[in-house]
Every structure is written in structure tokens, then in C-alpha cells.
Amino acid sequence: MTEVKRYKVTYKQSFMGEVLVDSYIRVVQSDRELVDIEDALYSDPHVFSVNIEAINEEETKWKK
């Protein structure tokens, strides 16, 4: 079974003179998927910055 990892994808885009920043969480199975995500975002001519960072599972668990 392939191990899946969670990543936070943050991107910036320029739209009508404003800089918009958005992010989302994505679960991926391979590094190839990360490249595809980045390529898809940069295919939008308004996007000028993409940052993808791994989410540490230990940090996201609820503390009891």
C-alpha cells in the first residue's frame, strides 16, 4: 500500500490590482502529484507564487 501524505498548498495571485492569497490541504500519494499541483496552479497567468509544505501528522492530532 502506498503511503499518503498531507500537504498545505498556498498560492498567491494578482487579480484586478490586488494580491490574493489562498491555501488548501491536499492528500497525495507521490511526488509526481506535487509537481502536477504546482504546474496546474502556475498554468493560471495570475498565479505568481506557489508554496507546498508537508503537514506533520503529530502536530495536527487533537490533544486530550
Side-chain angles (χ1 to χ4, degrees):
M1 183 173 181
T2 304
E3 182 181 343
V4 295
K5 294 182 180 178
R6 291 172 26 143
Y7 291 87
K8 180 178 180 184
V9 179
T10 304
Y11 61 96
K12 296 179 184 179
Q13 60 184 342
S14 179
F15 184 72
M16 296 185 70
E18 299 286 328
V19 174
L20 307 175
V21 180
D22 200 4
S23 64
Y24 59 93
I25 304 298
R26 181 76 182 260
V27 176
V28 301
Q29 294 182 349
S30 69
D31 290 342
R32 180 68 212 166
E33 285 185 65
L34 294 175
V35 172
D36 291 344
I37 291 167
E38 186 175 30
D39 289 347
L41 286 167
Y42 277 128
S43 72
D44 181 334
H46 298 104
V47 173
F48 63 88
S49 175
V50 176
N51 183 44
I52 301 174
E53 64 180 283
I55 296 174
N56 184 342
E57 293 297 324
E58 294 299 318
E59 293 175 1
T60 60
K61 291 183 180 176
W62 290 97
K63 294 182 181 177
K64 295 182 179 180

